[in-house]
Structures are given as C-alpha cells and as structure tokens.
Amino acid sequence: MYLGIDLGTSEIKVLLLDAAGTIVGTAGEPLTVSRPHPGWSEQTPEDWWQATTAAIGKLRDTAPEAFAATRAIGLSGQMHGAVLLDARNRVLRPAMLWNDTRSTAECLELTRRVPNLHAVAGNLAMPGFTAPKLLWSARHEPDVFSAIDCVLLPKDYLRLRLTGERASDPSDAGGTLWLDMARRTWSDELLAATGLSCSQMPRLVEGSAPSGTLLPAVADAWGLPRGVVVAGGGGDGAASAVGIGATQPGDGFLSLGTSGVIFVVNDRFRPNPAQAVHAFCHALPGRWHQMSVMLSAASCLRWFCRLTSVPEATLLPEIAALAESERQSAPFFLPYLSGERTPHNDAFAQGHFHNLTHASDRAALGYAVLEGVAFGMADGLDALRAAGTQVASLSFVGGGSRSPFWAQLLADTLNTELTTHVGSEAGGALGAARLGWMADGGVEAAVCAKPPVQATYRPDAARHARLAERLSTFRALYRRASPLPVAPSAQTSDLPLPACPTPCPCPASSSLAKR
C-alpha cells in the first residue's frame, strides 16, 4: 500500500493506493486561511500537522488492515508558501501563502537586483512566490529574518514532522525563485539577492526518490511499521500531473481547485515570462512543464456561496437550469479576488460584477461566476499558446471537475476537449501516492498509467462562438477596471546581504547536477 498526503489551501487530503493502482480509501480534514490585513494570506504550520494526523486517523479507521500495510508515503502541497524555521526547527511566524500579495514592491526590488532572474528562475517575480516574501520579512520583521536557519515549503514542513529531514524536490523548489531551473539546483546568486544562502535551504531530491524514513514515534502513533519510505513528492500541480498520468511531453491537464491551473509537460526548460507563463521542473526526473495560473478559481464559487448563504449542491442545479438566452444576458464577473497571475501579473486586480439589473437573480450571478472563471482559464490557455504550446485535449482534475455543467462550459469556452478520469478528484493526493510507490521501487511506466476515463466533454461550436463574444467583453472590462488606491509598501532599499559561501554547502547541488 502507498499513502499520498496532499496539503491544499482549504483541506488536507490523504489517499491509500494499492499495488494494482486502485484507490483503497480517502479522507480529508478542512483548513482555514487567516487574512490579518488586506492582501495577506497565512496559515499556521502546526494546523497542517494537526489536520494531517486527523485525516490519517479517519483513513486508518476506514481501512485498518490496508493502512497498516503501507510501504511508502508521498507528499504533495500548495506551492510558494514560506515556512521560516530557527535552528531548533521552531516556526518563527505564520506561513505566508501562495496567494499572499504583500510583497509587490519587493518583486520590483528583486528584479532590479538580479537582471537575469527570468533566465535562471524561468518566471517573473510575483508576490505569490517565496523569495519576495523573504525580502519583505527582512525589511519588516528583521528580528524574524535574522533568526532564520531554514526556509521550507508547506509540504516540506510535513516531511520534517514525518522524518526529521529538511528536504524538498525540484518541482516545488522551482516556485521559490531561488532555483536554477535548468540545472535543478539552488542558485547562489538568487539566494544571495534575498540575503540567504544554500545552507539555509533544504537538500533537494527528485520527487520519485526517497527523502527519508518515517520517524519511529510517528510510525508508532499512526500504526505503521518502522522504515516506511517518504518520497521527495512534488508541488501540487506536478503531483496532480503524476496522478493523472501527464508524464510525457505534450500531456496536460486543467485543474480547478482554489486556484486554476493549465499544466503541459515539456522535455526541456522552456521559460516564457513575458506572458506570465510559469516554467517549472516536473516531479519526475528530466522533465519540466509550463503552467498558466489564475489565483481564484473554484474559490470564487465558494466565496459566492458563502455570500448568498447557499450550498453549492443547491446553486449548481439552479445555474444549469438557466436557458441559453438567460446565460447570454447574465452579468459579467471578473474573478480576481486575490489579484491575478497569468496573463496579467496584476497583484492589485480585483473582483467585479458588471451589468447588474433588477432581473439579476442568484442563478444568473452564479452563472457569471462560473463563466468568469472559465474566461480566466481561456486567458491562461491563450498565453500558453503564445508561448508555443499546442493543446488539443486536457484531463480535468480538482474539485471543480465534479460539476458536469462547469466541465462543459470550460470545454465550450476553451474550444478544447476535456476528459475526467476515475479518481481524478483526488488530484495531488493520488500523484503523491504514486511518487511514494516509485520511491519504493515502482516502475514509472506501470505506476503512472492514465486512470480510466470517466467522461469526455467536447466543445460545441455554436456555444463556443457565443461565449467568444462574451469573452471579448470580459477582457474589455478588465482593461477598464482599475483597483482602488492601495497604500504602497515601504520604500525599497538595499539590505546588507551575506554572500553564499563558496563552494556552496548545499549537499544536493552537486548530486543533482550530475543527473
């Protein structure tokens, strides 16, 4: 048996996979996000660990014998978050998350300090990434910054609690802006630009390689044998790709979770930051991927349901019952509740409803939300195509994939076939379990087979044409919309920055470079 643990923004998901590739059981535990100031987004790492242990308890109760036969564990998680640790592995402050936008000014400063940032890191400096968060910390919380002994990504904090090891993998590390993406190693230059060194980074292992073994105390508490292997794992997008079988160049998927992602596998590092397209390492050796990201996707629907006090299960049938003429006259919704990445790279973009009338009822507004997210995904797909990526069909994963109506709306909007798979809602948890399986000796070709097809959604030409007209209006509305003035961050100024020692002490630098 192989256990996958996926640390999302709103939930910890755990999944048990048998050696035939069948999902034996799943469980989850909710998480909450703290927003102490506008633009801030934080979680307490201890909450991740408590939620993980609770989810594991639920999973163990559903399949105790199968759970006890676990041989390896894989990890998946939300990317870019900054977990700051002191020399005793104590957390110094709440983790700043991927959708935290406080470090906008620091992005400009980082780009100024490292003129070749885009060529090395493969991405624009965006406030969601980890490196700008550390510049913000140095400027606004100097006592915290001076105490940092290690910076971990969210899933890697769980690894620390599981194994006692400070380790990460290239797919997740690529979201820091500290990774030399082509070489899959930490960059002395990029780290030095934020006042850090390789000695403060976790060692790197490939996602399908062992990173350590389960601590005896954890194994005993969970009812597992000693020596259970914990794989390197991957960032949530890369892990989801492994779970859906998107492992070879040209494979791709659309994920509709808290954020929205279109992910396409490449055989080499292909950066295109001009279109705010992300270029990252895959969780599998020797592969990379391009990715478009919108910051608010299914979270827009959750927000609207909270606002109107209606469950999604009630609202979605109301939306589906709208006539085509009602959809055509529905309001417009700009889904930028947390700013936006691809293609706008606009941390200050805001959500808007447009064209409201007395006839705008709950169903019409709900449709506008689903359509606005679909239009945001269309912007991302166009950015990928501008980067030279051709997409004919995409797997569809994430919580949003449970809605047939939303799936068809996306297929019609993107003019692209979408396919859901059995177990595709498991997303990163399934991919994490597969990475654990490979760390235990599983062969990639057998482990990473595409799951059985559940449903296929083919675009309708007439609906695509009608949606294209509304998409044109949607884009014009973004160009016209301007956010309210935002108080600027503290003035940027050079900080006294220590240089990374030479040679770099990072133990993974040389080993990964040889691969």
Side-chain angles (χ1 to χ4, degrees), residues 11 43 89 150 183 187 212 334 350 380 388 402 430 447 491-492:
E11 184 183 23
Q43 287 178 327
N89 288 331
C150 186
R183 297 178 62 241
S187 165
L334 301 187
Q350 296 175 341
R402 292 192 290 264
L430 175 58
V447 173
Q491 292 296 314
T492 59

Side-chain angles (χ1 to χ4, degrees), residues 37 131 180 226-228 232 262 272 296 301 330 346 371 386 434 475:
H37 301 286
D180 183 327
R226 303 291 177 91
V228 171
I262 299 178
N272 184 33
S296 299
L301 178 61
D346 183 355
E371 183 189 64
R434 287 180 164 191
R475 288 170 170 165

Side-chain angles (χ1 to χ4, degrees), residues 77 79-80 122-123 126 129 171-172 174-175 181 235-241 251-255 259-266 270-273 275-281 288-294 341-343 377 379-381 383-385 387 389:
M79 297 177 67
H80 314 301
N123 295 276
M126 300 180 180
F129 282 67
S171 73
D172 209 1
M181 204 75 69
D236 51 4
S240 293
D251 290 343
F253 70 86
L254 187 157
S255 174
S259 60
V261 170
I262 299 178
F263 178 114
V264 181
V265 182
N266 305 121
R270 294 178 60 187
N272 184 33
Q275 293 285 328
V277 170
H278 297 321
F280 292 131
C281 301
W288 289 256
H289 66 87
Q290 288 180 318
M291 188 165 65
S292 72
V293 176
M294 61 183 301
R341 286 197 192 169
T342 312
M377 299 302 294
D379 280 345
L381 183 57
L384 287 174
R385 286 171 171 155
T389 296

Side-chain angles (χ1 to χ4, degrees), residues 11-335:
E11 184 183 23
I12 285 277
K13 299 176 185 176
V14 295
L15 177 148
L16 198 60
L17 190 70
D18 69 17
T22 302
I23 298 174
V24 175
T26 61
E29 188 71 14
L31 295 167
T32 59
V33 175
S34 173
R35 301 184 186 277
H37 301 286
W40 292 30
S41 180
E42 299 181 340
Q43 287 178 327
T44 302
E46 179 63 26
D47 291 346
W48 301 336
W49 179 246
Q50 294 301 324
T52 300
T53 57
I56 288 294
K58 294 177 182 177
L59 181 62
R60 183 179 57 234
D61 290 345
T62 62
E65 292 184 9
F67 182 83
T70 297
R71 291 174 55 91
I73 298 171
L75 299 172
S76 164
Q78 49 170 297
M79 297 177 67
H80 314 301
V83 182
L84 311 183
L85 302 177
D86 69 9
R88 297 174 60 187
N89 288 331
R90 294 177 300 190
V91 177
L92 294 169
R93 70 171 325 281
M96 293 178 272
L97 303 186
W98 57 272
N99 54 354
D100 189 296
T101 60
R102 76 184 76 180
S103 59
T104 301
E106 286 73 21
C107 291
L108 299 174
E109 175 69 6
L110 182 60
T111 302
R112 186 190 67 78
R113 293 182 182 189
V114 189
N116 64 335
L117 172 71
H118 303 158
V120 178
N123 295 276
L124 296 175
M126 300 180 180
F129 282 67
T130 319
K133 294 178 173 67
L134 270 293
L135 276 181
W136 184 93
S137 176
R139 187 163 290 124
H140 297 280
E141 299 174 341
D143 290 344
V144 170
F145 186 82
S146 65
I148 294 172
D149 192 66
C150 186
V151 182
L152 291 182
L153 293 157
K155 81 169 193 321
D156 300 324
Y157 177 77
L158 293 184
R159 183 198 323 280
L160 178 68
R161 299 293 294 264
L162 291 169
T163 68
E165 298 283 344
R166 292 174 169 181
S168 190
D169 78 287
S171 73
D172 209 1
T176 63
L177 292 180
W178 290 318
L179 197 74
D180 183 327
M181 204 75 69
R183 297 178 62 241
R184 303 170 83 94
T185 64
W186 297 118
S187 165
D188 295 353
E189 179 185 19
L190 300 184
L191 282 162
T194 53
L196 298 170
S197 70
C198 284
S199 64
Q200 294 166 292
M201 294 295 109
R203 63 185 176 91
L204 294 174
V205 300
E206 291 290 352
S208 55
S211 68
T213 56
L214 205 59
L215 290 167
V218 177
D220 293 345
W222 288 9
L224 293 176
R226 303 291 177 91
V228 171
V229 172
V230 178
D236 51 4
S240 293
V242 172
I244 209 67
T247 62
Q248 301 305 313
D251 290 343
F253 70 86
L254 187 157
S255 174
L256 204 60
T258 299
S259 60
V261 170
I262 299 178
F263 178 114
V264 181
V265 182
N266 305 121
D267 60 358
R268 63 190 184 278
F269 177 45
R270 294 178 60 187
N272 184 33
Q275 293 285 328
V277 170
H278 297 321
F280 292 131
C281 301
H282 204 334
L284 298 168
R287 273 149 286 183
W288 289 256
H289 66 87
Q290 288 180 318
M291 188 165 65
S292 72
V293 176
M294 61 183 301
L295 292 178
S296 299
S299 53
C300 292
L301 178 61
R302 289 196 294 272
W303 165 81
F304 182 73
C305 287
R306 288 196 305 271
L307 189 69
T308 55
S309 300
V310 59
E312 291 181 21
T314 300
L315 178 64
L316 287 171
E318 292 179 3
I319 295 171
L322 290 172
E324 184 64 36
S325 60
E326 293 175 300
R327 298 174 197 171
Q328 283 294 103
S329 61
F332 289 87
F333 176 68
L334 301 187

